[in-house]
Amino acid sequence: MRATQRNTRQREVVLEELRRLGTHPTAAELYEIARARLPKISLGTVYRNLELLAENGIIQKLKISGAEARFDGDPQRHYHVCCVRCGRVDDVHDLPRNFVRRRAKQLSGYDILGFRLEFNGICPECKKRSAPGSDEGASQEKDRAV
Amino acid sequence: MRATQRNTRQREVVLEELRRLGTHPTAAELYEIARARLPKISLGTVYRNLELLAENGIIQKLKISGAEARFDGDPQRHYHVCCVRCGRVDDVHDLPRNFVRRRAKQLSGYDILGFRLEFNGICPECKKRSAPGSDEGASQEKDRAV
DNA sequence: GTGTATGCAAAGCCTTTGCAGCATG
DNA sequence: CATGCTGCAAAGGCTTTGCATACAC
């Protein structure tokens, strides 16, 4: 999070529309939608704001297989299904502890072909590199049930 | 899988090197390595072959957060850790059924900040679109323990 | 011999950035 | 008013593609 951050109309609109959609739009899609309210907004601004919001943990940036990044207005959800044909992305809610293909299919309506689980964090090398008195404690380690 | 596919030296080398590495190189990295054995190979060819191998399920294409795609010579593994600082990707082996942050950290040496679980498959719309007598049964539904 | 794959280079696409002017706190 | 943000457009970086040639079967 930066020192001082201003609340601009553009940032507000981008976030509002992303949340209102409830889907996983690309930056370009969001740009088109935002343009209805702010005709002069630029793609660059949309990208900059999405990036910033994601850095602050307010939204989520997804890099699913496929060309474009997608954004999720809900930073809490972590389960997604993506279509290998059209690239569409949906959520899978209420995934039980012992998640299974069958359950994912029931909840999403997809034919589940596979899955991918990714952890993210700081690798040993990077830890060493900035070990003593680390000042860049970006994401504090919340104790959620990973 | 295409009608007829030929076994070229280039494809062979790309696959061999990817498997030999055991890491998750980018196309460019693999290109440099392959060049040691086939000085005239082109980046385009490396991309084409990686794409083809991934389509055939022989390797895995990963689109982790970050710019470049990464490739995994083992199509079976599904657990990865990626460093939010340098983009490095590692495997997490032997992930227990009730995976937990602690276990993932033990196995990888990373400081785990979060995770992402993605299913992939065919969305309801795409199913409808190619429903009767589908001829494109790309990935057969293996009954692995998703 | 036929059709796939390659090499090379150009084109594509998504995303990032430089810069001058604008607007927020 | 100081400086973060915007719009615009150009630049970047990874990936894909067109085309003539080479090679696998």
Side-chain angles (χ1 to χ4, degrees):
Chain A
M1 201 162 301
R2 208 155 305 175
T4 47
Q5 217 160 264
R6 294 176 182 176
N7 297 324
T8 64
R9 185 103 186 84
Q10 288 86 340
R11 186 165 307 156
E12 187 185 317
V13 166
V14 166
L15 180 54
E16 275 179 18
E17 292 302 324
L18 176 54
R19 284 183 172 158
R20 201 175 51 72
L21 277 174
T23 59
H24 306 77
T26 61
E29 286 166 2
L30 226 26
Y31 167 59
E32 285 306 328
I33 291 166
R35 235 167 18 152
R37 293 174 59 185
L38 286 79
K40 303 200 56 172
I41 196 172
S42 73
L43 223 202
T45 296
V46 172
Y47 269 109
R48 274 184 287 228
N49 279 317
L50 287 172
E51 203 60 51
L52 222 91
L53 289 166
E55 275 173 21
N56 293 350
I58 296 168
I59 67 170
Q60 218 179 142
K61 182 176 182 179
L62 311 174
K63 282 270 196 172
I64 314 272
S65 307
E68 303 145 280
R70 286 170 178 281
F71 297 85
D72 190 334
D74 183 345
Q76 294 302 324
R77 268 181 234 139
H78 276 99
Y79 308 101
H80 298 108
V81 251
C82 61
C83 182
V84 295
R85 289 199 192 141
C86 68
R88 170 178 161 179
V89 176
D90 286 305
D91 294 316
V92 180
H93 297 282
D94 309 317
L95 200 70
R97 265 185 82 82
N98 298 320
F99 55 92
V100 285
R101 177 202 305 272
R102 194 169 300 111
R103 191 91 179 91
K105 175 169 183 174
Q106 284 173 355
L107 291 167
S108 67
Y110 276 55
D111 278 352
I112 305 296
L113 298 173
F115 75 107
R116 199 170 85 213
L117 175 56
E118 274 169 38
F119 292 91
N120 51 66
I122 311 287
C123 74
E125 269 66 39
C126 282
K127 260 193 287 185
K128 260 180 279 177
R129 221 169 288 139
S130 61
S134 171
D135 47 25
E136 39 184 327
S139 321
Q140 61 282 47
E141 176 141 350
K142 305 178 203 100
D143 197 29
R144 53 187 166 200
V146 171
Chain B
M1 202 164 297
R2 208 156 307 176
T4 47
Q5 218 161 265
R6 295 176 180 175
N7 296 324
T8 63
R9 185 104 187 86
Q10 288 86 338
R11 185 164 308 155
E12 186 185 316
V13 167
V14 166
L15 180 56
E16 275 179 17
E17 293 302 324
L18 176 54
R19 284 184 171 155
R20 201 174 53 71
L21 277 175
T23 57
H24 305 78
T26 62
E29 286 166 3
L30 226 25
Y31 167 60
E32 284 307 329
I33 292 166
R35 230 157 36 141
R37 292 174 60 183
L38 285 78
K40 302 202 58 173
I41 195 171
S42 73
L43 222 202
T45 295
V46 171
Y47 270 109
R48 274 185 289 231
N49 279 318
L50 287 172
E51 202 61 51
L52 223 91
L53 290 166
E55 276 173 22
N56 294 350
I58 296 168
I59 66 169
Q60 218 179 144
K61 183 176 182 177
L62 311 175
K63 281 271 194 171
I64 313 274
S65 309
E68 303 146 277
R70 287 172 175 280
F71 298 86
D72 189 334
D74 184 345
Q76 295 302 324
R77 269 181 234 141
H78 277 99
Y79 308 100
H80 298 108
V81 252
C82 61
C83 182
V84 295
R85 290 201 191 138
C86 67
R88 170 177 162 179
V89 177
D90 285 304
D91 294 315
V92 180
H93 298 284
D94 310 317
L95 200 69
R97 264 183 84 81
N98 299 322
F99 56 93
V100 285
R101 176 202 305 271
R102 194 169 300 111
R103 191 91 179 91
K105 175 169 182 173
Q106 286 173 355
L107 291 166
S108 67
Y110 276 54
D111 277 352
I112 306 295
L113 297 173
F115 75 107
R116 199 170 85 214
L117 175 57
E118 273 170 36
F119 292 92
N120 51 66
I122 311 288
C123 74
E125 271 64 40
C126 282
K127 261 192 285 184
K128 261 181 279 178
R129 221 170 288 138
S130 62
S134 170
D135 48 24
E136 38 184 326
S139 319
Q140 60 280 46
E141 178 141 349
K142 303 177 206 105
D143 196 28
R144 54 188 163 198
V146 172

